[in-house]
Amino acid sequence: MAANDLMAELQKDSVSIDEPTERKIVAAVLKLLEDKNAEVQNIASKCLASLARRVRDAQLEEILQKLCLLLAQKQEELRDIAGVGLKAVIAELPQSAAPSIKLLIPRLVIQLKPDSHEVTLATLDILCEVLTRFGPVLSTSPQLQSSLQSALLPLLNHTRLAVRKRATAAIGSLVIHLSDELFNELVSQLYLELKAKEKARDFDKLRTLIGCISTISRFSAQRLSSFMNELLTLTMEYTKFDDDELREYCLQALETFTLRCPTEVGPHMAAIVAVATELVKHDPNYQDDEEADDDEAMDVDGEGSAMEEDEEEEDDADYSDDEDMSWKVRRASTKLITAIITASEVQEYLYSDVAPLLIQRFKERVEGVRVEIISTFLVLVRQTGIVAGVTTKANQGLKIETTKEPVILPGVFNPLEQLRALVPKLSRNLSKQLNSKSIPTRQAGFTLLRELIVVMPGCLGNQIGLLIAPIESSLSPSGSKAAPTNPPLKIEVLTFLRVLFMTHVPECFHKHMDRIVPPVVACTSDKYYKIVSGALVVIVQLVRVIRPIENPAPGAKLHIVGVSTEFQRFINRIFDVTIDRLKASDVDLEVKERSIVALGKVVAQCGDLVDGAKISGVVYPLLVERMRNELTRLTTVKVIRHIGQSALFDDENGAGKNIEFDESVLVAVVSDLSSYLRKAQRQLRVAALQCLETLVKYFGSRLHASSYVEVLGDVKPLILDSDLHIFPLAMQLVIGVIAASNGAPEVIDNVRGDVVPQLARLIVETPHLVGSGPGLEALVAFWRALVSAGGQVVYKETVGMLVERASAVGTPPSSRGKTSGLSSGVSKQAFGTIAQSIAVLALHSEGDATFTVSRFLEQVVDPNTVESSKYLALLTIGEIGRRIDLSVSHPKLDETVLELFQSPSEELKHAAAFTLGNLALGNIPHYMPGIIQHLRSGTKPVRYLLFTSLKEIITRQITQAAALAKSTGSPVDELWTLLFVNVAETVTGEEEGTRNVIAECVGKLAILDPWKFVPGLVSKVKDSDAVVRATVVAAVRYTFVDSAAGAAAAAAAAGSGNGETKSYDELLEPLIGDFLALVTDSDLNVRKVSLATLNSAAHNKPNLIRNKLDELLPLLYAETVVNQALIRFVEMGPFKHRVDDGLEARKSAYECMYTLLDTCLSRIEINGFLQRVIDGLADPAQEIQQLAHLMLQRVSYLVPNTVAHKLDDVVDPLVATLAVKLKGNAVKQEVEKRAELVRSVVRTIVVLMRLNAEGSGFVVSAPKFEELVKKVRGVGGAAGADGVDWSAVVEAYGNVVGEVEAQQGGQGGVAGAGVSIAGAFSMVQGSTSGGGADEANECMWPIRSADANGVVPMDL
């Protein structure tokens, strides 16, 4: 009891003990270790762990000395309790206890010498713990390093295997901290020992030595690389010895070498592959006729019996040989093949030599090895998917995304085609295993098939018959006579079926429906809710297969064909099952939600085939009831929207009559949806807006004006919500209400009185919301709809309100963006939005466009007009002039605008330049000659403004500019010459803005006639003037941005009679290397611009550079290195300020690397890339460190296996970043930047933690990273020699985890460390959590042909 009380007191933070009392307590507790009662001994050891954190150094050394003495006792109980106590003490010691650890290590070394095996084993255990936690103390003590190495090496020859294994583990922990000299000596001694044991044919010791070298490669691969050639040769040679255990050790070592030293292993890869492929077949005690298996025919329709396969499986299972170790060799060979696949690019030999062999080995007789072989082929398929740009969402595993254009180029090795050629043989061989009784094998097989169809949609179309019998047997009830099944297998099969239906044409399943539908429907009655939920998800896809509906061609009518009687029976069965599931009150929420989705799918796609009375009398009331339930509300709203979008309503034969909403249902639904707009849940508001828009658009004629007024009343607050996503949806709903009500007075008055004033205020106060993108598009569409319905009264009232808002003084600064410097204090973006609004109103109000221009022109020429009014007038005239020709109604307008180029106001000058460019778009032939004339004769400031006008002309309407290029007397040639003449005059840094505008103009002009101008750009790449070179390479960047412009230019050139038909990309591809070679230019500015161009190419036109990455990547990596020659010091009074002129170029290089990860991953040698990222972690610039953090997080998602083996390498730079201290006089901005950098480091650690977590699937030893994780989590002790304020880091870790948990809180996530890590990782991927309400978005809904806004068909 006393020991228990003492332990309880020691765990309190408030306990303080003086030194005399401390000595007495330590002595008493140490005495208890020798107590006869085992429970007292255990409590005493725990007390020592708590004491170790508090006592002074003298008492700590006494504790360690006593425990070491007890560890050397012959009595087993004392040794055990001392070992437990020492481990507990070492785990609790802070890093500041390093001096005591230095004294402990020699004592442990001494205890390795006695002959007692038990003492040696216990000591080695403790030594491993010490080296793992306090290994860095060895770095300052070469004597300790040498003594440890000398003591551990002889133990590798110990007679007991357990001692040799623990000595190997201790050496692994030691090598991290050895000096290079001692490390080289250690490896050399091991090599000599290998040769000696080889001569003696001592296979037992050879296994130990090979295992030791393998362990060293895991802990210190970089230093071992210099010995790799000799070690690889020896290891592969030893695989020929007739000893299966030695072969296993050698194969494991080769696996480690492949993963940890991929560069050094590269030249030996062919030999390693030969060893792996030979030994994966190693089964000397079992004779099998491979030829007969390969030639065996299968019934591809799936009608044959699987009895023969079952009998063969039973025969194989009966074979047993306890002494047969060959299965370990085959398993190790399979894992080596997995390492080869993950550590290198997908090479041709993987499909010519490895893949066929793996398919053949699916028949492996040992279940564990067979599952490993199937999993290895799965890895190969995934790697091929990465090459093809196909990924699956990590948190759902079901939603297929093709985010990148294919990376395979004509005439080169195509892994996708190689994989496709293997599909028939793979299906035949795998179907045998899917019919077996082994549940793990069947589950692994279906997982492989799922990944296969994700990577190659439609590839199993001709093999479906082979899979029907396994699907039936796997989904059968557990008590049936079919092959055994279990819930995980059923869930995997259902998941496979869902993806199978999504990725294949419905027709290939139709002849098998009678065998697919019954087992799937039967699963909806299973006792386990996960199986029921999975079956309902499959039903959603199954309905699409039974009754596919394709959208018609534009302008054609939709004709929906009927289905057979048997299929109609299936539909009615599915309909009844989903209704029953939805009616049940005791089911899981996930099942309820998926029942709603499935029922909605049946109604939307097959509503004409089921009882209409049941839809109106049962389904719709059920949906209304579920919509009023808080738990199922969101899902139901989405389902109702998709029913409203059903293609059945567009059928020319009236198939939609069966699913029409009753008026009472429609009014109730609209009323409820309107009330949901006031709810706090954002997802619900978004779904309600989308659903209301659909119902108003398609069924608005059946709603009364009172319903519209109610909707408008509830949507008004959302307009001022400042939500970039909700605002456009709210505006679309208002537009729909205006259109559906046919401009009813009540509706128009409501909009004029409430909505318009809010919008006028919104434009001024939050211009970012409506100034661009969907917000601006929705605003323009609203003005168009409003003025079309309300006429001139609405036009005058609205324009007056907008002008008044633009001229108002005293706009709250907190509500504005960056102000324009005009007297009104309104931002430039707000002025631009107001001008576009007035222009749209004028153009759609009959006869008001010309009047509006005249009125604003008066303000422009009036000298008494305030500057803000002139500014708005100019922008408005430009917006109107861009849309209509003003040269006739206002013939002198361009001259008036040109006069403002001399204005003292910079704002008015730029507004005039904008207006002139937009006026020219209304009539290019009329205005362009004058612009060119002024370009020739104008001063530098005037020419800059004219270039701005020219940029407006080219970028706003590239199609009109293309027409200009083909017209008679085209000024394009003259413009081209003028642009380059002016480039030469922009030498000073102050004129960089002019150069950028000229570069953009040159790039866009080059698109107009690429076959004429692009070669001209190439000729200027080697110009002696650095300014010209920089302009040329910047111009090329501007040609990447607008792909549509490039297509239009290509079409224009093709029609110009020059016989050119190839695309712009085909023209530029052989020339792009000339431009990007400027990355190595002698001029720093040219290099910066070239890097920006390379980044743009990687983002917009990756196909142009993929084949050249082997040349470009070394140049890019060279720019990531800190160039000391570009660092200078500027004296500022008594201080010196460090200036790095190469920072911008280095930052551009890292940004380009980040872009290449997304677009060209398959062409990157990932190990070299990752090394540059790790180097970036130690860059002196904070911006680059944060970029490196982001890249490391991204790479850990894309190639986790490679990053997992580099975890220890990232520790030192991350800790060095955390150890940086701010000066005492640091300003607030510096403190905030520092805090953000610490958070960035912590985020990176949190993301990487998943690679080292239990169950991650990455068997990697990373002791340094594990120690870092403990410190970050607050269990690694206080700050020590590393100088890091770990309390601040732990606080940052808590904040990061808290953010993740908060993010998951709205998605039903469960708080906890594991969930938090996964959540942080999902943030890096950019994925959203699945399940529940989001299922409605994953369905394959038939889309109404009339719906063109905001609806994206999900069909692949």
Side-chain angles (χ1 to χ4, degrees), residues 853-928:
V853 171
S854 300
R855 197 179 73 173
F856 280 115
L857 189 57
E858 291 174 4
Q859 295 183 16
V860 170
V861 298
D862 186 356
N864 297 321
T865 304
V866 295
E867 186 178 344
S868 60
S869 297
K870 277 190 179 183
Y871 187 81
L872 176 62
L874 282 169
L875 296 183
T876 305
I877 293 171
E879 292 290 347
I880 296 174
R882 174 160 58 91
R883 294 170 172 87
I884 61 173
D885 181 11
L886 296 178
S887 61
V888 177
S889 58
H890 299 83
K892 302 292 185 181
L893 184 55
D894 57 330
E895 296 178 9
T896 304
V897 172
L898 278 167
E899 289 176 4
L900 289 174
F901 280 19
Q902 308 300 327
S903 170
S905 168
E906 290 296 324
E907 308 294 347
L908 289 182
K909 286 180 183 179
H910 285 87
F914 168 86
T915 302
L916 181 61
N918 281 275
L919 286 176
L921 287 169
N923 190 339
I924 289 178
H926 178 80
Y927 290 110
M928 278 301 295

Side-chain angles (χ1 to χ4, degrees), residues 962-1270:
L964 171 66
K966 296 189 294 181
S967 63
T968 305
S970 169
V972 172
D973 292 340
E974 192 172 359
L975 278 175
W976 183 265
T977 305
L978 280 172
L979 287 169
F980 277 103
V981 167
N982 282 274
V983 166
E985 298 180 11
T986 58
V987 178
T988 65
E990 297 174 357
E991 296 176 293
E992 186 176 353
T994 304
R995 285 202 302 275
N996 290 336
V997 174
I998 292 175
E1000 186 170 356
C1001 292
V1002 168
K1004 298 301 182 182
L1005 281 177
I1007 292 177
L1008 303 184
D1009 194 348
W1011 291 272
K1012 179 178 182 180
F1013 292 124
V1014 170
L1017 286 176
V1018 175
S1019 67
K1020 295 183 181 294
V1021 166
K1022 297 182 180 179
D1023 195 282
S1024 59
D1025 191 343
V1027 173
V1028 174
R1029 297 198 301 275
T1031 304
V1032 166
V1033 75
V1036 173
R1037 180 173 82 246
Y1038 287 111
T1039 68
F1040 298 148
V1041 177
D1042 193 348
S1043 299
S1056 63
N1058 60 6
E1060 298 285 359
T1061 57
K1062 61 182 179 180
S1063 69
Y1064 176 71
D1065 287 2
E1066 290 175 316
L1067 169 71
L1068 193 58
E1069 185 177 352
L1071 305 175
I1072 191 67
D1074 295 332
F1075 296 110
L1076 298 181
L1078 292 177
V1079 169
T1080 60
D1081 196 274
S1082 58
D1083 186 84
L1084 177 61
N1085 186 54
V1086 176
R1087 294 205 301 274
K1088 287 193 292 187
V1089 177
S1090 300
L1091 288 166
T1093 301
L1094 177 57
N1095 190 17
S1096 180
H1099 182 73
N1100 298 290
K1101 299 283 186 181
N1103 55 297
L1104 295 179
I1105 63 171
R1106 283 197 183 100
N1107 265 358
K1108 296 179 171 57
L1109 280 183
D1110 290 344
E1111 305 168 13
L1112 292 174
L1113 281 177
L1115 307 180
L1116 182 64
Y1117 294 159
E1119 289 301 315
T1120 63
V1121 179
V1122 178
N1123 187 347
Q1124 297 296 332
L1126 295 176
I1127 297 176
R1128 53 192 173 88
F1129 290 89
V1130 179
E1131 292 188 3
M1132 304 177 69
F1135 305 103
K1136 283 188 176 182
H1137 180 60
R1138 184 178 182 272
V1139 178
D1140 186 354
D1141 292 328
L1143 174 59
E1144 286 302 317
R1146 214 160 61 250
K1147 185 179 175 183
S1148 297
Y1150 275 104
E1151 289 171 348
C1152 185
M1153 287 174 61
Y1154 187 84
T1155 304
L1156 288 170
L1157 272 181
D1158 279 337
T1159 58
C1160 300
L1161 177 63
S1162 64
R1163 307 293 295 181
I1164 296 173
E1165 198 282 302
I1166 199 63
N1167 292 287
F1169 185 95
L1170 184 57
Q1171 188 56 52
R1172 295 312 312 157
V1173 173
I1174 294 174
D1175 292 342
L1177 298 175
D1179 194 279
Q1182 177 174 327
E1183 307 98 297
I1184 292 177
Q1185 288 181 29
Q1186 289 179 299
L1187 269 172
H1189 296 158
L1190 289 173
M1191 276 193 283
L1192 187 58
Q1193 295 168 31
R1194 183 68 175 152
V1195 174
S1196 72
Y1197 162 61
L1198 295 171
V1199 281
N1201 202 29
T1202 304
V1203 179
H1205 289 85
K1206 295 282 188 180
L1207 287 178
D1208 275 351
D1209 295 348
V1210 308
V1211 171
D1212 289 340
L1214 291 179
V1215 171
T1217 300
L1218 294 174
V1220 174
K1221 303 291 184 183
L1222 288 175
K1223 296 180 180 178
N1225 59 351
V1227 297
K1228 180 182 178 182
Q1229 291 84 350
E1230 291 175 325
V1231 174
E1232 290 174 349
K1233 285 180 66 177
R1234 171 65 189 162
E1236 182 53 41
L1237 181 60
V1238 170
R1239 288 168 60 84
S1240 180
V1241 172
V1242 172
R1243 285 191 204 102
T1244 304
I1245 294 170
V1246 169
V1247 171
L1248 295 179
M1249 281 162 62
R1250 60 174 274 278
L1251 302 180
N1252 197 245
E1254 290 185 11
S1256 65
F1258 304 105
V1259 186
V1260 177
S1261 176
K1264 290 175 66 176
F1265 184 78
E1266 291 167 8
E1267 183 65 22
L1268 175 62
V1269 169
K1270 289 179 183 178

Side-chain angles (χ1 to χ4, degrees), residues 98-165:
S100 299
I101 295 297
K102 279 189 176 182
L103 297 175
L104 171 65
I105 292 175
R107 295 192 186 110
L108 294 175
V109 170
I110 292 171
Q111 292 182 186
L112 292 175
K113 294 178 181 179
D115 296 332
S116 172
H117 301 161
E118 288 73 16
V119 173
T120 303
L121 285 172
T123 305
L124 284 170
D125 268 349
I126 301 301
L127 193 57
C128 284
E129 291 289 331
V130 171
L131 292 174
T132 300
R133 281 221 60 206
F134 295 95
V137 303
L138 298 176
S139 58
T140 58
S141 180
Q143 186 177 356
L144 272 181
Q145 297 176 24
S146 180
S147 63
L148 276 168
Q149 181 171 314
S150 301
L152 291 173
L153 261 179
L155 296 179
L156 296 178
N157 287 312
H158 201 279
T159 55
R160 288 193 61 179
L161 177 61
V163 173
R164 298 201 301 270
K165 284 187 175 181

Side-chain angles (χ1 to χ4, degrees), residues 154-391:
L155 296 179
L156 296 178
N157 287 312
H158 201 279
T159 55
R160 288 193 61 179
L161 177 61
V163 173
R164 298 201 301 270
K165 284 187 175 181
R166 294 189 193 183
T168 297
I171 288 174
S173 300
L174 173 65
V175 292
I176 304 174
H177 312 290
L178 286 180
S179 65
D180 290 342
E181 183 181 352
L182 284 175
F183 181 87
N184 293 338
E185 180 186 333
L186 170 65
V187 178
S188 299
Q189 289 184 23
L190 289 174
Y191 183 78
L192 294 175
E193 284 288 324
L194 278 171
K195 299 297 286 185
K197 301 304 178 188
E198 177 188 350
K199 276 187 179 181
R201 284 297 190 267
D202 188 348
F203 294 152
D204 196 26
K205 302 297 172 51
L206 270 178
R207 288 196 294 270
T208 299
L209 293 171
I210 289 291
C212 184
I213 291 175
S214 177
T215 301
I216 292 173
S217 70
R218 283 199 297 271
F219 283 88
S220 189
Q222 190 171 1
R223 292 196 289 178
L224 190 66
S225 58
S226 58
F227 300 90
M228 193 53 62
N229 287 334
E230 295 81 2
L231 294 175
L232 278 171
T233 304
L234 272 183
T235 306
M236 287 189 284
E237 187 66 29
Y238 293 161
T239 59
K240 299 175 183 177
F241 291 170
D242 189 17
D243 184 278
D244 284 344
E245 287 190 76
L246 177 59
R247 288 191 181 107
E248 181 191 10
Y249 274 75
C250 290
L251 290 167
Q252 289 172 346
L254 289 173
E255 178 191 356
T256 307
F257 295 159
T258 302
L259 292 171
R260 298 291 285 158
C261 307
T263 305
E264 291 74 16
V265 168
H268 303 270
M269 190 59 74
I272 294 175
V273 171
V275 170
T277 53
E278 180 63 30
L279 292 180
V280 79
K281 301 180 291 184
H282 176 69
D283 198 355
N285 299 322
Y286 184 75
Q287 184 66 33
D288 188 22
D289 189 356
E290 297 178 1
E291 297 295 331
D293 276 354
D294 288 344
D295 296 337
E296 184 177 340
M298 291 290 294
D299 180 10
V300 293
D301 289 332
E303 305 296 339
S305 171
M307 213 39 157
E308 294 180 8
E309 287 79 5
D310 288 344
E311 291 174 1
E312 290 175 9
E313 186 69 30
E314 289 174 7
D315 291 343
D316 291 350
D318 290 340
Y319 176 82
S320 175
D321 184 353
D322 293 338
E323 295 182 359
D324 180 17
M325 304 297 291
S326 63
W327 67 271
K328 291 186 176 182
V329 176
R330 298 195 298 279
R331 183 184 62 183
S333 298
T334 306
K335 290 184 176 181
L336 173 56
I337 292 173
T338 304
I340 292 169
I341 294 170
T342 55
S344 61
E345 296 179 10
V346 179
Q347 301 291 344
E348 191 167 358
Y349 65 79
L350 292 177
Y351 279 102
S352 61
D353 302 333
V354 177
L357 179 61
L358 290 175
I359 293 173
Q360 180 187 328
R361 293 304 305 170
F362 285 170
K363 63 188 177 184
E364 165 65 45
R365 61 188 174 87
V366 179
E367 182 183 89
V369 181
R370 183 168 58 244
V371 171
E372 191 72 43
I373 290 171
I374 294 173
S375 300
T376 297
F377 201 93
L378 173 65
V379 172
L380 177 60
V381 173
R382 281 181 178 159
Q383 290 295 105
T384 305
I386 292 175
V387 171
V390 179
T391 58

